[in-house]
Amino acid sequence: MDEKLSKVDPKLLDLLVCPLSKSRLSLNRETNELISQKAQLAYPIRDGIPIMLISEARKIED
């Protein structure tokens, strides 16, 4: 794992939901993103801060 990637507080991860679907998120450590399976979106984490904007999310391709 890249040392430059910052860790996100696990308590924060428990509180966050997808702003589009309101579903729970899972952490993908390889891409440093929060994943919403229901909305098929990946939200980036920059400097340890989840960017929870739909406009910043990456669409997950099947």
Side-chain angles (χ1 to χ4, degrees):
M1 186 193 246
D2 189 339
E3 289 299 318
K4 291 193 282 186
L5 298 179
S6 301
K7 293 190 100 179
V8 177
D9 185 343
K11 292 176 190 169
L12 178 62
L13 292 178
D14 286 341
L15 298 174
L16 291 175
V17 295
C18 174
L20 182 65
S21 67
K22 308 297 187 239
S23 62
R24 291 188 59 95
L25 300 166
S26 60
L27 175 63
N28 182 327
R29 293 183 191 281
E30 290 181 16
T31 61
N32 206 37
E33 296 173 316
L34 293 175
I35 307 298
S36 170
Q37 293 296 332
K38 190 171 184 180
Q40 290 293 292
L41 293 173
Y43 297 93
I45 300 171
R46 297 187 188 126
D47 298 321
I49 301 169
I51 310 300
M52 302 304 298
L53 300 171
I54 296 168
S55 61
E56 292 287 319
R58 176 178 64 83
K59 182 77 175 149
I60 298 171
E61 302 296 330
D62 287 334

